Amino acid sequence: MKKKSWKLELDGQEHTVELEHGVVFGKRKIYVDGQLVEESRKLFDTGSDHTFQIGAHLCTVHIRTNGLTFNYDLSVDGYPVGMRGAVTPSAPGSAARSAFSYRLLELENRFKGGANWFYWIAGLSLLNSLIFLFGGNMSFVVGLGITQVVDGIVSVIANEFGGTVATVAHLLGMGGNVLITAIFVVFGVLARKKHRWAFIVGMVLYALDILILMWAKDFYSILFHAIALFGLYRGMATLKELQALMATQPAETLAGQEVLG
């Protein structure tokens, strides 16, 4: 459970806003001056915005993620709350820039979260192979079916011939799986560099991997493959939305904005 709090002064009164965020199960609670004002849960936690009022002021807690970590911000009437709790509308037009900045950050994090699925697929697939190599009997359902086929072939050869042949088979199988997972790492790198084709090709290959799972009747893994595919598709769709936002935003609002690569 992560906790974040802000102290701020509005209309001459001090207030405390507190956030409790369960990063595993997506539960979030928001308190204002010790009183619970919102409680919700998000199973697939890709971040969210939570709006509430303090007096006549509209406040929003922003939860953002890059797919691996979370960060939290508070805005009041569209303005970010500074480090010391001050609401800082520093210049004319800053409200528009602030709204654009939050929207940009939201899309960037959602897009990167989608691209990061390639890393999860690669990492868990390689971990499955390592577990097999050291004699384990469990596997992660998001991992690739093709690497498990390689492991199965290695197992047959090792059991049939044993000795040096088994050792060589294990080494070759592990090397092959490293190459396969490296391809998905490359897709992740290229996708985060905003190459849409990397999303498309990677999704096609991962979808084809489902055919192996269907042949094996591993329906649980098929379900989680579908979830991962949805995450990848969402990242690709967000990339299009992000590029459209950057193309249509007026130049004066873009001034001073830093786009994360």
Side-chain angles (χ1 to χ4, degrees):
M1 177 74 71
K2 287 191 174 182
K3 295 184 179 181
K4 175 75 175 180
S5 64
W6 298 266
K7 292 185 181 294
L8 62 156
E9 183 176 327
L10 295 173
D11 301 327
Q13 293 186 336
E14 290 188 354
H15 299 278
T16 301
V17 177
E18 298 171 283
L19 168 68
E20 294 180 356
H21 180 211
V23 297
V24 177
F25 297 105
K27 190 172 184 179
R28 53 261 278 147
K29 292 182 179 180
I30 298 173
Y31 299 85
V32 175
D33 299 329
Q35 299 294 316
L36 180 67
V37 296
E38 181 170 340
E39 180 176 3
S40 61
R41 185 186 299 272
K42 193 171 184 181
L43 182 58
F44 299 108
D45 203 339
T46 55
S48 55
D49 294 317
H50 304 273
T51 300
F52 52 93
Q53 281 192 289
I54 299 180
H57 300 279
L58 199 63
C59 306
T60 304
V61 169
H62 307 272
I63 301 176
R64 298 290 180 258
T65 180
N66 59 11
L68 298 175
T69 60
F70 289 88
N71 57 71
Y72 312 97
D73 294 292
L74 173 67
S75 63
V76 177
D77 297 330
Y79 300 111
V81 174
M83 294 295 293
R84 298 181 180 275
V87 181
T88 54
S90 56
S94 61
R97 288 195 296 272
S98 176
F100 172 72
S101 178
Y102 278 121
R103 181 59 176 163
L104 181 64
L105 182 61
E106 177 187 15
L107 292 178
E108 281 280 353
N109 284 326
R110 191 195 305 166
F111 149 69
K112 289 181 178 179
N116 285 345
W117 273 103
F118 284 120
Y119 298 142
W120 283 107
I121 292 167
L124 293 177
S125 297
L126 192 58
L127 188 55
N128 284 343
S129 294
L130 287 171
I131 291 172
F132 166 77
L133 182 64
F134 290 102
N137 57 5
M138 64 168 287
S139 64
F140 292 95
V141 292
V142 176
L144 292 164
I146 186 62
T147 56
Q148 295 184 55
V149 169
V150 172
D151 292 337
I153 294 173
V154 168
S155 179
V156 170
I157 294 174
N159 291 334
E160 181 70 22
F161 298 99
T164 303
V165 174
T167 301
V168 172
H170 279 294
L171 291 175
L172 290 176
M174 192 65 199
N177 285 339
V178 168
L179 289 176
I180 292 170
T181 55
I183 292 172
F184 279 82
V185 171
V186 171
F187 283 141
V189 171
L190 294 174
R192 284 176 64 95
K193 290 182 179 293
K194 300 182 174 65
H195 293 290
R196 190 166 179 266
W197 67 265
F199 275 107
I200 296 172
V201 176
M203 288 169 61
V204 169
L205 291 178
Y206 195 58
L208 290 174
D209 193 70
I210 293 179
L211 297 178
I212 297 173
L213 302 175
M214 293 176 65
W215 173 77
K217 297 182 179 180
D218 188 352
F219 299 111
Y220 196 53
S221 292
I222 291 172
L223 172 63
F224 277 86
H225 268 54
I227 292 172
L229 276 173
F230 175 75
L232 290 169
Y233 172 78
R234 193 165 185 258
M236 183 179 69
T238 302
L239 174 58
K240 184 177 180 180
E241 190 176 353
L242 178 63
Q243 291 171 334
L245 175 67
M246 297 301 299
T248 59
Q249 191 66 23
E252 61 270 17
T253 309
L254 284 170
Q257 298 296 330
E258 179 182 356
V259 181
L260 303 177

